[in-house]
Amino acid sequence: MRSLTAEDVERAADRIAPHVLRTPMIAAEGRLAGRAAPLHLKLEQLQPTGSFKLRGATNAVLQLSAAQRRAGVVTASSGNHGPALARAASRLGVRCVVCLSQMVPANKVDNVRRNGGEARIAGKDYDEAVAESKRLECKHGLVRVHAFDDPGVIAGAGTVAREILEDLADARTILVPLSGGGLLGGMALYAKARAPRVRIVGVSMARGASMIESLRAGGPVEISEEPTIADALGGNIGLDNRWTLALVRDLVDEVMTVSEEDIARAMRVLFEDQGLVVEGAGAVGVAALLAGTSPAPDGPAVAVLTGRNVAPDRHRSVICGA
Ligand SMILES: *Cc1c(COP(=O)(O)O)cnc(C)c1O
């Protein structure tokens, strides 16, 4: 198997540039500013479809052969990869089927449909949705584009690191939300090759941190998926994990978890002090800083805000402290 390099991330950046937003990075204000070192927020939640996942999905779809485009694509999604793949595919006239478990919030199912995908509710958790996507791959000859354990998706996600380092060459610490590890692995791949002094930190929710458990165990383990405010971080890395576990294990400096309360507080502070609507999964980096889980950075730090797809009612109840 060919290995992934920073050049793959650079090629991905050129490939996807016409199709994705080059997101702004802003200085943190209010309770997030004035700490030991400046904090910057990379606003990936502004991406079309509402999450960074458009990068990886677009990079994967643009590399399909003509025959694969005719066949169509299928995936399983915890809610943000699905709409991203649907948008990338439908813009090229490619059919896209997205398998979502019953745990996926309704706003995310709608987001698949709004972006031209066929949403299929299958299974009680992410793993069962993955099984359904594999079944459809075999039965209908659809091309499966995994949400994170796919070299095209990883290289596309890694382009976030390239933009951060272009905008802030002296970045010292980058905090990255962590689920399957496509984003963290891709960003670490690029950053460690191009700016090795940068500390790359992965943050998961304490409730069901599959990658972190797998790192501890020395191989992929399965844990049960629980409801969490960071729903987009749910699901296992897969016992058949090929790419992301090795990338995260070899290249990432540190991983940590945050509680549901810490995530809710970060969503509140981002809204009240910055006017930003960020879903739970996108707020975990800020949560780690506010809670002191991540030690105060010793130089300019960046938190990647990965998504905004939280239903308005749910967001309101978090903001109101319910
Ligand atoms: C998918 C997702 C993540 C985690 O990405 P992985 O590549 O699975 O680690 C983080 N935040 C949001 C909003 C996501 O949708």
Side-chain angles (χ1 to χ4, degrees):
M1 182 175 23
R2 202 179 63 87
S3 65
L4 271 169
T5 67
E7 283 79 45
D8 292 301
V9 178
E10 278 151 1
R11 275 191 288 271
D14 293 340
R15 194 178 290 123
I16 68 177
H19 308 278
V20 306
L21 185 67
R22 191 192 188 290
T23 54
M25 189 154 71
I26 62 172
E29 292 171 25
R31 280 166 280 181
L32 292 173
R35 304 202 153 227
L39 174 66
H40 302 262
L41 306 173
K42 176 68 169 165
L43 306 186
E44 279 299 299
Q45 89 282 13
L46 298 181
Q47 206 63 257
T49 74
S51 82
F52 78 92
K53 290 230 171 49
L54 189 62
R55 295 175 184 265
T58 301
N59 191 43
V61 166
L62 289 174
Q63 291 177 86
L64 294 174
S65 68
Q68 288 174 318
R69 287 183 190 196
R70 277 194 300 277
V73 293
V74 64
T75 196
S77 170
S78 61
N80 284 332
H81 175 62
L85 188 68
R87 177 179 162 113
S90 64
R91 297 213 145 193
L92 291 174
V94 174
R95 180 184 177 204
C96 174
V97 181
V98 180
C99 304
L100 304 128
S101 85
Q102 289 149 8
M103 290 181 89
V104 175
N107 64 305
K108 287 185 162 139
V109 179
D110 290 346
N111 201 12
V112 170
R113 301 201 172 107
R114 273 202 311 276
N115 282 286
E118 298 166 40
R120 189 180 173 98
I121 309 299
K124 65 171 176 3
D125 57 17
Y126 176 73
D127 291 357
E128 290 191 10
V130 171
E132 175 69 1
S133 72
K134 288 181 179 169
R135 200 182 66 77
L136 295 178
E137 175 185 28
C138 297
K139 188 164 171 226
H140 300 301
L142 298 166
V143 180
R144 200 154 61 90
V145 180
H146 197 284
F148 52 85
D149 205 28
D150 174 287
V153 169
I154 295 166
T159 61
V160 177
R162 185 168 186 253
E163 291 177 15
I164 289 173
L165 292 167
E166 276 170 3
D167 292 353
L168 188 70
D170 65 344
R172 261 295 286 155
T173 305
I174 305 180
L175 293 140
V176 184
L178 167 62
S179 174
L183 178 63
L184 181 62
M187 288 184 67
L189 177 70
Y190 183 82
K192 290 296 166 182
R194 296 290 181 260
R197 67 190 184 286
V198 180
R199 268 181 76 238
I200 304 289
V201 179
V203 188
S204 294
M205 71 294 184
R207 219 178 252 185
S210 169
M211 177 63 82
I212 294 179
E213 292 299 326
S214 299
L215 291 169
R216 283 198 191 114
V221 293
E222 286 198 327
I223 55 177
S224 69
E225 189 176 341
E226 296 172 60
T228 162
I229 182 72
D231 52 81
L233 300 185
N236 278 305
I237 67 164
L239 294 177
D240 54 354
N241 189 284
R242 292 170 65 194
W243 295 92
T244 58
L245 177 60
L247 284 170
V248 172
R249 183 192 59 213
D250 295 347
L251 299 174
V252 170
D253 295 285
E254 205 181 334
V255 291
M256 59 189 63
T257 61
V258 288
S259 69
E260 297 293 300
E261 294 71 32
D262 293 339
I263 298 169
R265 177 157 56 123
M267 290 171 73
R268 252 191 317 272
V269 171
L270 284 164
F271 184 71
E272 290 171 356
D273 293 15
Q274 306 265 174
L276 299 175
V277 174
V278 178
E279 62 180 283
V284 293
V286 167
L289 286 173
L290 284 175
T293 318
S294 176
D298 57 357
V302 179
V304 183
L305 308 184
T306 45
R308 64 157 186 270
N309 292 320
V310 51
D313 289 356
R314 193 152 188 231
H315 189 253
R316 200 170 305 124
S317 70
V318 170
I319 298 312
C320 297

